[in-house]
Amino acid sequence: MSATVAQLRVFTAVVANGGFGVAAEELGMSQSAVSHALAALERALGAPLVLRHGSVRPTALGAAILPHAQAALASVTAIDEVVSSHLGQHAGTVRVAAPPTVCCGLLPQLMRTWRAELPGVEVQVFEGDDDELSPWLETGVVDAAILVDPVPPPPAHVVVGRDAFHAVVRADHPLAGQEHITMAELVEDPLLVSKGGCEPQTRALCSMAGVPYAPAQHVRELGTLIGMIAAGIGVSTVPDLGRGLLPPGLVMVPLRPSLERALVLTGPLTRPPSPLVDALLRAAPEVPAPVPPG
Protein backbone atom coordinates (compact mmCIF):
# COMPACT_ATOMS: atom_id res chain seq x y z
CA MET A 1 0.00 0.00 0.00
CA SER A 2 1.25 3.49 -0.82
CA ALA A 3 -0.46 6.85 -0.86
CA THR A 4 1.05 10.00 -2.28
CA VAL A 5 0.73 13.45 -0.79
CA ALA A 6 -1.10 14.59 -3.92
CA GLN A 7 -3.67 11.79 -3.55
CA LEU A 8 -4.26 12.62 0.12
CA ARG A 9 -4.68 16.27 -0.79
CA VAL A 10 -7.30 15.34 -3.39
CA PHE A 11 -9.13 13.05 -0.97
CA THR A 12 -9.37 15.67 1.79
CA ALA A 13 -10.46 18.35 -0.69
CA VAL A 14 -13.22 16.17 -2.15
CA VAL A 15 -14.57 15.36 1.32
CA ALA A 16 -14.28 18.96 2.55
CA ASN A 17 -16.11 20.34 -0.47
CA GLY A 18 -18.64 17.53 -0.85
CA GLY A 19 -17.90 17.03 -4.52
CA PHE A 20 -15.32 16.72 -7.26
CA GLY A 21 -16.01 19.95 -9.16
CA VAL A 22 -15.46 22.37 -6.28
CA ALA A 23 -12.44 20.35 -5.11
CA ALA A 24 -10.96 20.62 -8.61
CA GLU A 25 -11.37 24.39 -8.59
CA GLU A 26 -9.79 24.65 -5.15
CA LEU A 27 -6.81 22.51 -6.17
CA GLY A 28 -6.36 24.10 -9.58
CA MET A 29 -6.87 20.75 -11.33
CA SER A 30 -9.34 19.40 -13.85
CA GLN A 31 -12.28 17.42 -12.48
CA SER A 32 -11.07 14.40 -14.42
CA ALA A 33 -7.62 14.62 -12.78
CA VAL A 34 -9.21 14.82 -9.34
CA SER A 35 -11.40 11.79 -10.08
CA HIS A 36 -8.43 9.77 -11.37
CA ALA A 37 -6.24 10.69 -8.36
CA LEU A 38 -8.90 9.61 -5.88
CA ALA A 39 -9.58 6.40 -7.80
CA ALA A 40 -5.84 5.62 -7.75
CA LEU A 41 -5.76 6.11 -3.98
CA GLU A 42 -8.76 3.82 -3.54
CA ARG A 43 -7.06 1.15 -5.66
CA ALA A 44 -3.90 1.46 -3.57
CA LEU A 45 -5.92 1.07 -0.34
CA GLY A 46 -8.16 -1.65 -1.74
CA ALA A 47 -11.49 -0.07 -0.83
CA PRO A 48 -13.68 2.94 -1.69
CA LEU A 49 -13.12 6.10 0.33
CA VAL A 50 -16.15 8.14 -0.77
CA LEU A 51 -19.73 7.44 -1.75
CA ARG A 52 -20.37 8.92 -5.18
CA HIS A 53 -24.17 8.67 -5.36
CA GLY A 54 -25.93 11.90 -4.47
CA SER A 55 -23.91 14.13 -2.18
CA VAL A 56 -20.30 12.95 -2.05
CA ARG A 57 -19.43 11.81 1.46
CA PRO A 58 -16.81 9.51 3.01
CA THR A 59 -17.33 5.79 3.48
CA ALA A 60 -16.62 4.28 6.90
CA LEU A 61 -13.01 3.70 5.83
CA GLY A 62 -12.76 7.21 4.40
CA ALA A 63 -14.04 8.74 7.64
CA ALA A 64 -11.56 6.63 9.62
CA ILE A 65 -8.50 7.71 7.64
CA LEU A 66 -9.58 11.34 7.09
CA PRO A 67 -8.03 12.77 10.30
CA HIS A 68 -4.78 10.92 9.58
CA ALA A 69 -4.70 12.29 6.05
CA GLN A 70 -5.31 15.80 7.38
CA ALA A 71 -2.54 15.41 9.96
CA ALA A 72 -0.14 14.05 7.33
CA LEU A 73 -0.80 17.02 5.04
CA ALA A 74 -0.32 19.42 7.94
CA SER A 75 3.07 17.82 8.65
CA VAL A 76 4.09 18.08 4.99
CA THR A 77 3.16 21.77 5.03
CA ALA A 78 5.16 22.22 8.23
CA ILE A 79 8.23 20.67 6.58
CA ASP A 80 8.01 23.27 3.80
CA GLU A 81 7.67 26.01 6.39
CA VAL A 82 10.69 24.74 8.36
CA VAL A 83 12.78 24.89 5.20
CA SER A 84 11.56 28.41 4.41
CA SER A 85 12.29 29.50 7.98
CA HIS A 86 15.78 27.99 7.77
CA LEU A 87 16.37 30.09 4.66
CA GLY A 88 15.22 33.21 6.50
CA GLN A 89 11.83 33.39 4.84
CA HIS A 90 8.39 33.68 6.42
CA ALA A 91 5.97 32.96 3.60
CA GLY A 92 2.94 30.74 3.20
CA THR A 93 -0.62 30.25 4.39
CA VAL A 94 -1.67 29.68 8.00
CA ARG A 95 -5.19 28.41 8.72
CA VAL A 96 -6.54 29.93 11.94
CA ALA A 97 -9.80 28.82 13.55
CA ALA A 98 -11.86 30.92 15.95
CA PRO A 99 -15.43 31.11 17.30
CA PRO A 100 -17.91 33.52 15.66
CA THR A 101 -17.62 36.32 18.23
CA VAL A 102 -13.82 36.29 17.91
CA CYS A 103 -14.00 36.24 14.11
CA CYS A 104 -16.24 39.29 14.29
CA GLY A 105 -14.74 41.35 17.10
CA LEU A 106 -11.06 40.45 17.43
CA LEU A 107 -9.64 38.57 14.45
CA PRO A 108 -9.78 41.47 11.96
CA GLN A 109 -7.53 43.52 14.24
CA LEU A 110 -5.12 40.59 14.67
CA MET A 111 -5.01 40.04 10.92
CA ARG A 112 -4.04 43.69 10.37
CA THR A 113 -1.20 43.25 12.87
CA TRP A 114 -0.01 40.04 11.23
CA ARG A 115 -0.19 41.59 7.76
CA ALA A 116 2.05 44.45 8.92
CA GLU A 117 4.51 42.24 10.82
CA LEU A 118 4.52 39.24 8.45
CA PRO A 119 3.74 40.48 4.93
CA GLY A 120 4.61 37.13 3.35
CA VAL A 121 2.12 35.20 5.49
CA GLU A 122 -1.50 34.79 4.45
CA VAL A 123 -3.98 34.02 7.24
CA GLN A 124 -6.98 31.92 6.21
CA VAL A 125 -9.86 32.04 8.70
CA PHE A 126 -11.98 29.04 9.70
CA GLU A 127 -15.03 29.97 11.77
CA GLY A 128 -16.28 27.25 14.10
CA ASP A 129 -18.02 26.62 17.39
CA ASP A 130 -16.00 26.33 20.58
CA ASP A 131 -16.28 22.54 20.66
CA GLU A 132 -15.04 22.17 17.06
CA LEU A 133 -11.79 24.10 17.36
CA SER A 134 -9.58 21.67 19.31
CA PRO A 135 -10.45 18.67 17.08
CA TRP A 136 -9.74 20.77 13.99
CA LEU A 137 -6.41 21.79 15.45
CA GLU A 138 -5.27 18.31 16.40
CA THR A 139 -6.34 16.63 13.14
CA GLY A 140 -4.64 19.25 10.98
CA VAL A 141 -7.74 20.90 9.56
CA VAL A 142 -6.25 24.16 10.85
CA ASP A 143 -2.75 25.15 11.94
CA ALA A 144 -3.67 27.41 14.85
CA ALA A 145 -6.78 28.31 16.81
CA ILE A 146 -8.07 30.87 19.26
CA LEU A 147 -9.49 28.76 22.08
CA VAL A 148 -11.82 29.94 24.84
CA ASP A 149 -10.64 29.32 28.42
CA PRO A 150 -8.58 26.18 27.64
CA VAL A 151 -7.78 24.11 30.74
CA PRO A 152 -4.91 23.68 31.25
CA PRO A 153 -3.49 26.46 29.05
CA PRO A 154 -1.41 25.05 26.16
CA PRO A 155 2.38 25.12 26.64
CA ALA A 156 2.91 27.61 23.79
CA HIS A 157 0.18 30.23 23.71
CA VAL A 158 -0.62 33.94 23.73
CA VAL A 159 -3.69 35.43 25.41
CA VAL A 160 -4.91 37.70 22.61
CA GLY A 161 -8.11 38.90 24.23
CA ARG A 162 -10.31 39.01 27.30
CA ASP A 163 -13.95 40.03 27.40
CA ALA A 164 -16.82 39.87 29.85
CA PHE A 165 -20.26 38.36 29.42
CA HIS A 166 -23.40 40.50 29.15
CA ALA A 167 -27.09 39.82 29.20
CA VAL A 168 -28.68 40.24 25.77
CA VAL A 169 -32.31 41.38 25.77
CA ARG A 170 -34.67 43.22 23.48
CA ALA A 171 -34.53 47.01 23.68
CA ASP A 172 -38.13 47.01 24.96
CA HIS A 173 -37.34 44.57 27.80
CA PRO A 174 -38.09 46.03 31.27
CA LEU A 175 -34.43 45.54 32.30
CA ALA A 176 -32.88 46.92 29.12
CA GLY A 177 -32.14 50.36 30.57
CA GLN A 178 -30.50 49.17 33.80
CA GLU A 179 -26.85 49.81 34.58
CA HIS A 180 -26.37 46.09 35.13
CA ILE A 181 -28.42 42.90 35.45
CA THR A 182 -28.07 39.86 37.70
CA MET A 183 -28.84 36.35 36.50
CA ALA A 184 -31.44 36.18 39.28
CA GLU A 185 -33.32 39.05 37.63
CA LEU A 186 -33.48 37.08 34.38
CA VAL A 187 -35.06 33.91 35.80
CA GLU A 188 -38.54 35.08 34.80
CA ASP A 189 -37.45 34.99 31.14
CA PRO A 190 -36.78 31.80 29.16
CA LEU A 191 -33.00 31.31 29.00
CA LEU A 192 -31.62 30.57 25.53
CA VAL A 193 -28.27 28.79 25.19
CA SER A 194 -26.03 28.15 22.21
CA LYS A 195 -24.51 24.69 22.56
CA GLY A 196 -21.83 25.60 20.05
CA GLY A 197 -20.36 28.24 22.30
CA CYS A 198 -20.64 30.02 25.67
CA GLU A 199 -22.73 27.32 27.34
CA PRO A 200 -20.08 26.55 30.03
CA GLN A 201 -19.81 30.24 30.87
CA THR A 202 -23.61 30.64 31.06
CA ARG A 203 -23.74 27.66 33.39
CA ALA A 204 -21.00 29.26 35.53
CA LEU A 205 -22.87 32.57 35.66
CA CYS A 206 -25.97 30.80 36.97
CA SER A 207 -23.88 29.03 39.60
CA MET A 208 -22.24 32.30 40.68
CA ALA A 209 -25.68 33.89 41.07
CA GLY A 210 -27.12 30.89 42.95
CA VAL A 211 -29.88 30.29 40.40
CA PRO A 212 -30.66 26.99 38.66
CA TYR A 213 -29.26 26.41 35.20
CA ALA A 214 -32.40 25.53 33.28
CA PRO A 215 -32.25 26.59 29.61
CA ALA A 216 -35.58 26.75 27.85
CA GLN A 217 -33.98 26.30 24.42
CA HIS A 218 -30.70 24.81 23.18
CA VAL A 219 -29.56 25.91 19.74
CA ARG A 220 -26.28 25.39 17.93
CA GLU A 221 -25.69 28.56 15.92
CA LEU A 222 -25.14 31.93 17.55
CA GLY A 223 -27.12 33.53 14.72
CA THR A 224 -30.12 31.36 15.63
CA LEU A 225 -29.79 32.41 19.27
CA ILE A 226 -29.74 36.11 18.35
CA GLY A 227 -32.72 35.67 16.03
CA MET A 228 -34.73 34.02 18.80
CA ILE A 229 -33.96 36.86 21.23
CA ALA A 230 -35.03 39.38 18.60
CA ALA A 231 -38.28 37.45 18.18
CA GLY A 232 -39.01 37.75 21.92
CA ILE A 233 -38.58 34.04 22.66
CA GLY A 234 -36.14 34.59 25.51
CA VAL A 235 -32.88 36.15 26.73
CA SER A 236 -29.28 34.98 26.78
CA THR A 237 -25.70 35.80 27.72
CA VAL A 238 -23.14 36.76 25.07
CA PRO A 239 -19.51 37.91 25.38
CA ASP A 240 -18.73 41.55 24.63
CA LEU A 241 -17.02 40.70 21.32
CA GLY A 242 -20.41 39.57 20.04
CA ARG A 243 -21.74 43.12 20.24
CA GLY A 244 -21.16 43.65 16.52
CA LEU A 245 -23.41 40.69 15.69
CA LEU A 246 -26.49 42.19 17.36
CA PRO A 247 -29.15 43.68 15.08
CA PRO A 248 -31.03 46.89 15.94
CA GLY A 249 -33.54 46.24 18.67
CA LEU A 250 -31.24 44.14 20.87
CA VAL A 251 -29.04 45.53 23.64
CA MET A 252 -26.28 44.26 25.89
CA VAL A 253 -26.42 44.95 29.61
CA PRO A 254 -23.44 44.17 31.92
CA LEU A 255 -23.92 41.24 34.28
CA ARG A 256 -23.19 41.30 38.01
CA PRO A 257 -21.33 39.36 39.21
CA SER A 258 -19.29 39.48 36.03
CA LEU A 259 -17.46 36.66 34.29
CA GLU A 260 -14.57 37.15 31.90
CA ARG A 261 -13.24 34.69 29.35
CA ALA A 262 -9.67 34.39 28.06
CA LEU A 263 -9.05 34.00 24.32
CA VAL A 264 -5.91 31.94 23.76
CA LEU A 265 -4.03 31.68 20.47
CA THR A 266 -2.18 28.36 20.22
CA GLY A 267 -0.89 25.70 17.86
CA PRO A 268 -1.57 21.96 18.11
CA LEU A 269 -0.72 19.97 21.23
CA THR A 270 0.03 16.62 19.57
CA ARG A 271 2.70 17.81 17.13
CA PRO A 272 5.17 20.70 16.98
CA PRO A 273 3.72 23.98 15.73
CA SER A 274 4.89 25.08 12.32
CA PRO A 275 7.36 27.99 12.03
CA LEU A 276 4.59 30.16 10.63
CA VAL A 277 2.40 29.48 13.68
CA ASP A 278 5.38 30.36 15.88
CA ALA A 279 5.69 33.60 13.90
CA LEU A 280 2.00 34.40 14.50
CA LEU A 281 2.42 33.75 18.22
CA ARG A 282 5.43 36.07 18.43
CA ALA A 283 3.70 38.84 16.48
CA ALA A 284 0.38 38.69 18.35
CA PRO A 285 0.01 41.35 21.09
CA GLU A 286 -0.58 39.66 24.45
CA VAL A 287 -3.33 40.92 26.75
CA PRO A 288 -2.13 40.93 30.39
CA ALA A 289 -4.05 39.17 33.13
CA PRO A 290 -6.39 41.41 35.12
CA VAL A 291 -5.01 42.82 38.36
CA PRO A 292 -6.92 41.45 41.38
CA PRO A 293 -8.77 44.19 43.32
CA GLY A 294 -7.09 45.41 46.47
Side-chain angles (χ1 to χ4, degrees):
M1 188 280 292
S2 62
T4 68
V5 171
Q7 290 170 342
L8 294 178
R9 187 167 285 118
V10 164
F11 167 58
T12 59
V14 168
V15 173
N17 290 287
F20 290 83
V22 180
E25 292 180 9
E26 179 181 288
L27 296 170
M29 301 169 61
S30 69
Q31 185 168 334
S32 175
V34 167
S35 180
H36 279 89
L38 182 55
L41 177 60
E42 291 175 321
R43 286 195 300 271
L45 299 180
L49 297 179
V50 300
L51 299 172
R52 290 167 168 81
H53 302 293
S55 176
V56 175
R57 59 196 187 279
T59 62
L61 175 61
I65 71 169
L66 180 61
H68 302 289
Q70 292 166 331
L73 292 173
S75 295
V76 169
T77 300
I79 291 172
D80 292 338
E81 293 174 7
V82 168
V83 173
S84 296
S85 179
H86 180 73
L87 298 175
Q89 304 167 347
H90 279 309
T93 300
V94 183
R95 299 161 300 172
V96 178
T101 53
V102 175
C103 288
C104 172
L106 177 63
L107 205 47
Q109 175 184 342
L110 280 174
M111 292 176 71
R112 285 194 295 270
T113 299
W114 287 328
R115 188 179 298 119
E117 297 288 331
L118 304 163
V121 177
E122 178 185 352
V123 174
Q124 188 177 48
V125 175
F126 284 61
E127 182 179 277
D129 295 326
D130 291 2
D131 56 0
E132 294 177 312
L133 304 187
S134 290
W136 285 357
L137 190 57
E138 300 310 324
T139 58
V141 173
V142 297
D143 309 300
I146 298 177
L147 305 179
V148 176
D149 293 329
V151 179
H157 72 274
V158 175
V159 178
V160 293
R162 299 179 188 276
D163 65 339
F165 280 78
H166 298 257
V168 177
V169 299
R170 285 168 52 111
D172 58 1
H173 191 281
L175 300 175
Q178 293 197 183
E179 186 176 341
H180 63 265
I181 295 177
T182 67
M183 291 299 292
E185 290 178 293
L186 292 177
V187 295
E188 298 300 322
D189 294 278
L191 179 63
L192 312 178
V193 175
S194 170
K195 297 194 69 173
C198 303
E199 185 175 18
Q201 290 84 358
T202 304
R203 187 188 297 271
L205 283 164
C206 289
S207 177
M208 291 164 59
V211 299
Y213 176 71
Q217 304 289 344
H218 281 85
V219 300
R220 178 169 180 81
E221 301 294 337
L222 183 59
T224 303
L225 181 81
I226 291 172
M228 293 177 76
I229 301 172
I233 295 173
V235 300
S236 190
T237 63
V238 174
D240 188 64
L241 285 178
R243 188 180 300 273
L245 299 172
L246 300 185
L250 296 188
V251 297
M252 280 187 169
V253 184
L255 282 165
R256 295 291 184 271
S258 63
L259 177 66
E260 189 178 76
R261 64 175 184 169
L263 306 171
V264 177
L265 174 66
T266 182
L269 297 178
T270 54
R271 63 183 187 279
S274 73
L276 291 187
V277 171
D278 281 336
L280 291 190
L281 289 168
R282 290 194 300 270
E286 183 157 16
V287 176
V291 178

